[in-house]
Amino acid sequence: MHSDLMKETVFHDLNHLYPGRITNKTNGITFRRWLMLANPKLTELLRQACGEAVLDDPTQLSQLEARASDNGFQEQFRTSSSQQGRAGAADRRTPRHQGRPVRAVRRPDQAHPRYKRQLLNILEAIALYHAIKDDPQANWVPRVKIFAGKGAASYRYAKLIIKLINDVAEVVNNDPVIAGRLKIAFLPDYNVSLAEVIIPARSLRADFRPPAWRPPAPAT
């Protein structure tokens, strides 16, 4: 999609002169930056489990299959994730230093661009907020939802989604009934350097399922 956009807009004349030159490549993770630099705790664990060759040959990750039921290895993984989370929480660009105190022990649930995913995530946050309000004494797992991004000047819907996230955060973070069970933070001026700090601390688990929708009772 983006390659086609480049052909039709920014590089229209170049594409006309040299058709076929503009192509798109997806390289996946860059080990040096997104693993060794951004997540040293996980890097060390992979070195121990798969050997030094894993840093040059991603196929070596297949060795992790043999540890799928290894409780000791899983505990090491959880420990490395926890340590990385504490390191991320201490960074000056994270929610704690954006005026929104957030404990590192909370379950981090992150949504960075694209904005369609952010919209779905903030809608889940609204559903979770109402579920907690309906049953505040339930055994809720404290969670922080971290959003980050920036919208181009002409990207109207991106800016509206950013505004929605911050408006929802204003309500959720200041509701005494929620009592810290749910926090929402939006980190502005998202870039790769910020992503290096917050992405390694994310959690992919999703245990919340909002209650089934029921029509409101008729007014009496």
Side-chain angles (χ1 to χ4, degrees), residues 16-31:
H16 180 72
L17 286 172
Y18 303 103
R21 279 199 180 183
I22 299 174
T23 61
N24 182 59
K25 299 291 186 296
T26 301
N27 295 321
I29 181 175
T30 301
F31 271 57

Side-chain angles (χ1 to χ4, degrees), residues 5-6 10 30 39 41 53-54 100 103 118 124 135 152 159 162 211-212:
L5 285 173
M6 292 296 99
V10 178
T30 301
N39 203 335
K41 299 296 183 183
V54 71
R100 296 172 289 271
R103 298 198 311 270
Q118 291 194 334
E124 188 213 23
D135 189 8
K159 290 183 176 296
I162 290 172

Side-chain angles (χ1 to χ4, degrees), residues 110-157:
Q110 300 179 29
H112 315 147
R114 309 233 354 126
Y115 292 99
K116 293 175 184 177
R117 290 194 294 270
Q118 291 194 334
L119 179 58
L120 290 173
N121 201 301
I122 196 63
L123 290 175
E124 188 213 23
I126 295 170
L128 179 56
Y129 169 73
H130 284 290
I132 296 174
K133 290 273 285 187
D134 289 342
D135 189 8
Q137 301 307 315
N139 187 27
W140 298 103
V141 176
R143 176 181 294 185
V144 57
K145 285 183 173 287
I146 301 175
F147 296 83
K150 52 187 175 184
S154 61
Y155 202 159
R156 180 172 179 268
Y157 285 104

Side-chain angles (χ1 to χ4, degrees), residues 10-216:
V10 178
F11 298 114
H12 177 270
D13 293 341
L14 178 65
N15 185 60
H16 180 72
L17 286 172
Y18 303 103
R21 279 199 180 183
I22 299 174
T23 61
N24 182 59
K25 299 291 186 296
T26 301
N27 295 321
I29 181 175
T30 301
F31 271 57
R32 283 178 295 178
R33 183 157 197 175
W34 289 106
L35 184 63
M36 298 171 69
L37 179 62
N39 203 335
K41 299 296 183 183
L42 180 58
T43 302
E44 182 58 31
L45 183 59
L46 291 178
R47 280 173 163 161
Q48 295 174 13
C50 305
E52 294 290 327
V54 71
L55 301 180
D56 296 310
D57 181 8
T59 63
Q60 297 297 319
L61 291 171
S62 62
Q63 296 183 49
L64 295 177
E65 293 179 8
R67 297 175 178 264
S69 302
D70 186 335
N71 293 332
F73 179 79
Q74 293 172 13
E75 181 60 33
Q76 286 180 288
F77 176 78
R78 284 191 289 267
T79 299
S80 71
S81 296
S82 176
Q83 292 173 340
Q84 201 67 43
R86 287 193 292 270
D91 190 276
R92 61 183 177 82
R93 293 164 292 186
T94 53
R96 176 179 296 178
H97 300 277
Q98 295 285 339
R100 296 172 289 271
V102 170
R103 298 198 311 270
V105 296
R106 297 180 188 275
R107 176 171 297 176
D109 180 0
Q110 300 179 29
H112 315 147
R114 309 233 354 126
Y115 292 99
K116 293 175 184 177
R117 290 194 294 270
Q118 291 194 334
L119 179 58
L120 290 173
N121 201 301
I122 196 63
L123 290 175
E124 188 213 23
I126 295 170
L128 179 56
Y129 169 73
H130 284 290
I132 296 174
K133 290 273 285 187
D134 289 342
D135 189 8
Q137 301 307 315
N139 187 27
W140 298 103
V141 176
R143 176 181 294 185
V144 57
K145 285 183 173 287
I146 301 175
F147 296 83
K150 52 187 175 184
S154 61
Y155 202 159
R156 180 172 179 268
Y157 285 104
K159 290 183 176 296
L160 287 174
I161 291 171
I162 290 172
K163 183 179 187 302
L164 173 64
I165 293 168
N166 282 279
D167 287 348
V168 173
E170 183 69 20
V171 173
V172 171
N173 296 344
N174 293 292
D175 190 331
V177 176
I178 301 302
R181 298 179 183 90
L182 175 65
K183 288 283 188 179
I184 299 174
F186 186 90
L187 306 184
D189 297 325
Y190 180 71
N191 55 30
V192 173
S193 295
L194 177 59
E196 284 182 341
V197 175
I198 58 179
I199 287 177
R202 77 163 62 197
S203 171
L204 298 180
R205 295 175 294 176
D207 60 351
F208 169 69
R209 293 293 181 273
W213 182 84
R214 295 186 298 272

